[in-house]
Amino acid sequence: MSIIYNKASKTITLHTRHTSYQMKIGNLDYLLHLYYGPSICDADMSYQVMQYDRGFSGNPYESRNARKFSLDAQPQEFTTQQQGDFRTASIEVVNSDGSYSYHGKAVDFKITKGKYQLETLPCVFAAEGDTVDTLEITLLDAVSKVQVILLYSVFEAADIITRAVKVKNAGIESIHLKKIMSVCLDFLNGSDLDLISLPGRYGQERQVERQRMTHHIHTIGSVRGSSSHQQNPFVMLCDKNATEDYGKCYGFSLMYSGNFLAEAELDQYDQLRLVMGIHPKQFVYEIKPQEVFEGPEVVMAFSEHGFTGLSHLYHDFYRTNLCRSKFVKDVQRPVLINSWEAAFMDFDDVKLVNIAKAAKKMGVDLLVMDDGWFGKRDDDNSSLGDWYVNEKKIKCGLHKLVEQINDLGMKFGIWFEPEMVSEDSELYRAHPEWAMQIPGRHAVRSRNQLALDMSRKDVQDYLIEKVNTILDTANIYYVKWDINRSITDIWSNEMPADKQGEVYHRYILGLYRVMNEIILTHPDILFEGCSGGGGRYDAAMLHYYPQYWVSDNNHPIDRLKLHYGTSFVYPVSTMGAHISDSGKFVPLKTKAVVAMCGTFGYELDATHLTRKEQKLCKEQSDLFRKYYHIIFEGDYYRLSNPFELGNMTAWQHVTKDKTEALLSVVVTNLTCNGPQEYVKAKGLEPNYMYTINNSKEAYSGAALMHAGLPIDREVPEYSSFQFYLKKK
Ligand code: GLA
């Protein structure tokens, strides 16, 4: 069992292969947090938690005259409300009597085999052969009878612990939940920790930012109705001197695609509290008697081996325990070409077939018909919601078009933006009440479109039916599921006035239901998520879809940063990456090298390429297929940081058995008569001898890692190198 209860000390310890996590049913039955870090065998870490009169601090009434136990200074698994802890809280609940109090004490726990599941939200799962144990601890507020159920699953071999929370109203009147954090992790000393997050913007998602802890609440979050371009629901706490290879790192990845909040508070005693969950903005959720509310899961990892160590834990785990699509491990992803940057909305069936014919010569497996094929969609002002084929453009009909593509020996994919509606659409004219807009006010327009009220069952059913009908009309192999605006005007016509605070979350629940139903009926389709590029790139979306479009920014030099930041938590097998016309001065080969740090494909008009370019593309597509197992199944290393001044960016993929590696370098800057530069490999076996691009000579892993490979200086700007290392 990876979860051990020690009766004498009332501690519960969770053990993974290299980490331990400990809590204790402590003073007055409050659940204290004792430890998370490298494995420990000590039964009771509570010697660390000093209790003394802090002066001017609150003490629970039951302590009588004793002043040593103040929740304001105690590390906790889940916080109380109005019990003298003034730091940021796990919960804010309004009881049926109007009071804002929660004094949750541990009343029960059970340890079981296997992974817990949530009924309403996506979760990771135990893969074949995994040993997973679950701890479920119930906290109870004796007055309100509100229960908080804390869930922990321990993935022993993967060094992963997941957490989730449920709130059950065991009272007899409704309560209102205003804040519920899925995780609370307290550190006794946090002044030595830095916070790393992945902020960004449209076209520049998931850039990496690191901040020192100062005495306030550091907030990372999104209130855009989706996890957003601007922040990502992943944060890391690390030693202040941690680097790629050294130092302790804690990761928190939230499985949620809506508004989220992560707060890191350094308190008056230099203790650090990290909480993460659904953002409380405009969140008021009624829980009726006997009802249960579920908060999303947080996937936690700890590594002593720097950012790379932590990334590897997430990459390995998310490649096996997150998404059930057959494209995760059983079926190789196709090399695709997408029509968007080739034609935007200006295409017809003939043009698409011509692009496919040219693409075939480039080694492409699949043509994706992007935005513009439905309703009367000639520009982005109309037709969202009208999910039927525009036969003025696709004159031969969808079935026939797909047949023509299939006859070329290629597969066919299609784009949808189901959550949206254009005011100029049949759907909107028939159902204006389905759009999110507040009665008596004009809705915010964004790309001239409104969001559908995904919390409504009739909207969900409409979308399931429409999307499924198209998917059943023809032999469709791939779907790109897009969303191109933030959600505003939060209002559901179906909900009473006092329940509008539930709409943000119910939108996400509705979205998950729609995606799930469509996937279940079409398990053979490859789905790719997209949100104006990579605006909703999160673990929950990757639970449904094995890949996600990184960004609309296809410039290969910008992509170096985009891939670098995204890779902190998400494996390269999830990163949608294409070669496009963007980057005029960047050689085609470099574009290909960059796109191979992902799912690889094209986003250009193949008919405009010269024969020579098509041939080069064919070689690159073949190379991608050749290196697929290294890129998709190997360990990924960031060899340099593109955010730092330097002349090149490098990264590497190494197979698990270390017999093969692919080391890629892009020269981003040429210094006149500068020093010779070397790239040092990582993750090789020191004693193995490796050939490089099938060379006669071989070099030891030790030499390649410690002395490195010299990079040619006499090359044009934006040149790239791809070194294929093979054990001799
Ligand atoms: C978004 C996507 C693009 C493309 C367009 C179509 O911006 O990120 O790839 O699909 O929508 O409108």
Side-chain angles (χ1 to χ4, degrees):
M1 252 304 170
S2 56
I3 304 177
I4 293 165
Y5 174 60
N6 183 318
K7 212 170 167 186
S9 59
K10 288 185 153 182
T11 52
I12 304 171
T13 313
L14 322 181
H15 290 291
T16 70
R17 199 149 52 110
H18 300 107
T19 73
S20 299
Y21 184 110
Q22 195 176 77
M23 67 192 81
K24 179 185 178 88
I25 302 172
N27 309 48
L28 307 171
D29 289 339
Y30 285 109
L31 188 61
L32 304 182
H33 172 76
L34 298 184
Y35 180 81
Y36 186 26
S39 298
I40 44 145
C41 46
D42 310 61
D44 184 0
M45 293 294 285
S46 60
Y47 74 92
Q48 293 262 307
V49 182
M50 307 303 281
Q51 296 183 347
Y52 53 93
D53 184 355
R54 307 260 177 170
F56 220 66
S57 63
N59 312 112
Y61 191 81
E62 300 102 299
S63 299
R64 302 290 164 188
N65 290 342
R67 298 181 184 177
K68 291 186 175 177
F69 179 70
S70 169
L71 288 165
D72 208 18
Q74 296 297 299
Q76 293 156 68
E77 285 296 318
F78 187 85
T79 75
T80 51
Q81 186 186 1
Q82 300 237 50
Q83 247 320 44
D85 183 350
F86 296 95
R87 293 170 290 174
T88 190
S90 302
I91 189 165
E92 194 180 327
V93 59
V94 188
N95 298 312
S96 55
D97 61 1
S99 65
Y100 289 70
S101 278
Y102 188 75
H103 302 179
K105 293 181 175 186
V107 289
D108 191 20
F109 73 88
K110 61 177 187 225
I111 297 169
T112 49
K113 288 212 167 300
K115 170 73 173 54
Y116 64 78
Q117 283 302 312
L118 299 177
E119 273 174 35
T120 55
L121 289 161
C123 279
V124 297
F125 50 84
E128 220 182 300
D130 282 350
T131 305
V132 185
D133 297 317
T134 289
L135 165 69
E136 188 179 313
I137 279 212
T138 304
L139 311 180
L140 173 73
D141 180 293
V143 177
S144 67
K145 305 276 185 287
V146 174
Q147 292 178 0
V148 167
I149 299 145
L150 302 178
L151 298 161
Y152 303 77
S153 277
V154 182
F155 289 78
E156 204 172 340
D159 275 329
I160 294 283
I161 297 175
T162 66
R163 284 188 63 170
V165 63
K166 293 183 186 179
V167 181
K168 179 171 179 187
N169 182 1
I172 49 169
E173 280 180 78
S174 285
I175 56 165
H176 289 86
L177 198 57
K178 295 182 78 181
K179 181 183 185 189
I180 182 71
M181 295 285 104
S182 299
V183 69
C184 169
L185 193 65
D186 281 349
F187 295 82
L188 288 172
N189 192 329
S191 56
D192 280 350
L193 292 173
D194 283 356
L195 176 69
I196 292 185
S197 59
L198 305 176
R201 55 190 182 276
Y202 172 75
Q204 301 285 357
E205 296 88 341
R206 292 170 301 288
Q207 313 285 295
V208 181
E209 225 163 67
R210 180 172 186 160
Q211 43 180 311
R212 299 297 311 273
M213 286 295 112
T214 50
H215 292 93
H216 67 271
I217 302 178
H218 302 250
T219 302
I220 309 288
S222 164
V223 291
R224 293 167 189 267
S226 77
S227 48
S228 87
H229 300 84
Q230 287 73 12
Q231 294 290 350
N232 192 266
F234 169 75
V235 292
M236 183 200 294
L237 289 169
C238 63
D239 282 346
K240 69 177 176 211
N241 49 10
T243 62
E244 271 295 347
D245 305 297
Y246 306 102
K248 298 194 178 77
C249 297
Y250 297 85
F252 306 87
S253 170
L254 182 72
M255 299 264 294
Y256 193 61
S257 312
N259 291 347
F260 78 93
L261 175 71
E263 291 175 316
E265 178 175 6
L266 190 66
D267 75 6
Q268 55 183 333
Y269 303 117
D270 285 356
Q271 302 180 125
L272 183 81
R273 170 167 294 167
L274 185 289
V275 295
M276 196 176 199
I278 296 176
H279 202 293
K281 180 182 157 143
Q282 266 177 251
F283 174 83
V284 186
Y285 218 94
E286 182 186 10
I287 313 179
K288 296 197 175 117
Q290 298 312 312
E291 276 183 1
V292 176
F293 178 88
E294 294 179 334
E297 177 164 272
V298 174
V299 178
M300 302 193 302
F302 168 81
S303 170
E304 283 188 278
H305 306 292
F307 313 151
T308 300
L310 193 77
S311 297
H312 283 180
L313 293 177
Y314 278 108
H315 293 176
D316 286 347
F317 189 64
Y318 281 169
R319 281 190 296 202
T320 48
N321 298 70
L322 181 58
C323 178
R324 294 185 194 271
S325 164
K326 68 179 195 183
F327 293 94
V328 170
K329 65 177 185 351
D330 299 334
V331 179
Q332 187 158 324
R333 315 283 172 90
V335 171
L336 68 82
I337 187 159
N338 181 297
S339 68
W340 182 241
E341 289 185 28
F344 296 101
M345 295 187 203
D346 181 18
F347 60 79
D348 60 9
D349 48 353
V350 177
K351 192 168 190 171
L352 291 175
V353 172
N354 285 339
I355 291 177
K357 280 183 183 158
K360 177 80 187 157
K361 295 185 197 138
M362 294 152 54
V364 171
D365 304 309
L366 182 147
L367 172 89
V368 180
M369 176 171 72
D370 207 280
D371 194 353
W373 58 266
F374 51 92
K376 299 189 173 58
R377 182 100 159 157
D378 289 321
D379 58 38
D380 57 12
N381 295 310
S382 87
S383 300
L384 291 168
D386 297 344
W387 299 111
Y388 59 85
V389 176
N390 178 349
E391 295 205 345
K392 281 199 179 133
K393 283 182 169 178
I394 311 301
K395 298 181 207 77
C396 61
L398 187 60
H399 187 82
K400 194 92 197 89
L401 170 65
V402 178
E403 252 178 21
Q404 289 181 70
I405 304 296
N406 288 167
D407 287 348
L408 295 171
M410 289 172 73
K411 299 172 169 42
F412 185 84
I414 193 165
W415 178 98
F416 288 97
E417 194 180 352
E419 297 155 70
M420 296 290 139
V421 63
S422 308
E423 284 163 88
D424 180 7
S425 68
E426 288 170 22
L427 178 65
Y428 185 79
R429 283 184 281 273
H431 286 293
E433 77 284 6
W434 283 10
M436 287 262 218
Q437 41 193 346
I438 301 171
R441 297 177 192 270
H442 291 301
V444 171
R445 282 183 171 172
S446 179
R447 212 191 186 200
N448 255 353
Q449 61 196 52
L450 305 180
L452 283 172
D453 176 3
M454 296 294 290
S455 72
R456 293 177 68 122
K457 176 131 187 324
D458 47 7
V459 171
Q460 297 164 21
D461 290 343
Y462 171 84
L463 294 175
I464 293 167
E465 201 266 315
K466 287 290 162 201
V467 173
N468 276 348
T469 303
I470 292 287
L471 298 186
D472 296 336
T473 312
N475 184 20
I476 289 171
Y477 193 81
Y478 161 107
V479 166
K480 178 173 167 188
W481 183 290
D482 209 342
I483 166 175
N484 282 316
R485 66 161 290 175
S486 302
I487 314 298
T488 61
D489 304 279
I490 306 309
W491 182 269
S492 173
N493 281 305
E494 271 213 324
M495 303 286 263
D498 61 351
K499 281 175 90 71
Q500 295 297 328
E502 299 181 11
V503 175
Y504 262 133
H505 181 58
R506 287 185 183 274
Y507 179 106
I508 297 297
L509 297 180
L511 167 68
Y512 291 156
R513 177 182 165 236
V514 174
M515 293 196 298
N516 203 36
E517 297 268 321
I518 295 171
I519 290 172
L520 288 179
T521 44
H522 295 91
D524 292 330
I525 289 185
L526 168 62
F527 287 84
E528 175 158 356
C530 177
S531 172
R536 199 167 58 183
Y537 202 127
D538 55 61
M541 291 305 293
L542 293 173
H543 169 76
Y544 297 100
Y545 301 159
Q547 59 191 59
Y548 210 94
W549 187 225
V550 168
S551 179
D552 274 353
N553 183 350
N554 283 315
H555 194 289
I557 305 304
D558 280 350
R559 276 274 174 162
L560 298 173
K561 290 182 179 158
L562 285 155
H563 294 171
Y564 172 89
T566 306
S567 77
F568 266 67
V569 54
Y570 307 110
V572 292
S573 55
T574 65
M575 296 187 200
H578 297 167
I579 297 169
S580 85
D581 287 334
S582 178
K584 250 194 191 146
F585 303 107
V586 181
L588 197 54
K589 184 195 155 201
T590 297
K591 294 181 179 183
V593 168
V594 174
M596 272 187 227
C597 186
T599 57
F600 194 80
Y602 299 87
E603 187 102 10
L604 42 72
D605 190 342
T607 62
H608 289 175
L609 297 188
T610 62
R611 272 198 189 171
K612 200 170 150 205
E613 287 168 331
Q614 286 180 347
K615 190 168 164 271
L616 182 61
C617 288
K618 167 87 172 67
E619 285 161 17
Q620 298 302 330
S621 303
D622 289 345
L623 271 184
F624 170 70
R625 282 186 274 262
K626 176 176 166 200
Y627 297 145
Y628 186 92
H629 64 289
I630 314 178
I631 300 168
F632 274 58
E633 290 155 30
D635 290 329
Y636 170 79
Y637 290 88
R638 296 173 289 265
L639 299 183
S640 63
N641 180 350
F643 290 95
E644 285 171 0
L645 256 190
N647 294 332
M648 51 195 193
T649 295
W651 65 96
Q652 189 191 351
H653 313 266
V654 186
T655 54
K656 292 280 179 191
D657 65 3
K658 298 179 186 292
T659 57
E660 286 176 282
L662 184 67
L663 193 160
S664 307
V665 182
V666 174
V667 178
T668 47
N669 184 28
L670 276 184
T671 318
C672 171
N673 198 23
Q676 173 62 50
E677 300 209 44
Y678 300 84
V679 172
K680 290 181 183 160
K682 284 185 180 174
L684 302 177
E685 183 59 49
N687 298 323
Y688 286 178
M689 298 300 287
Y690 294 91
T691 57
I692 298 175
N693 294 338
N694 306 317
S695 59
K696 275 204 196 97
E697 320 78 48
Y699 310 89
S700 72
L704 293 168
M705 292 192 290
H706 303 311
L709 271 171
I711 301 300
D712 277 355
R713 285 204 51 82
E714 308 287 302
V715 291
E717 206 161 17
Y718 301 135
S719 292
S720 58
F721 303 89
Q722 211 169 33
F723 301 107
Y724 170 60
L725 279 50
K726 183 151 174 53
K727 183 188 171 210
K728 207 169 170 174

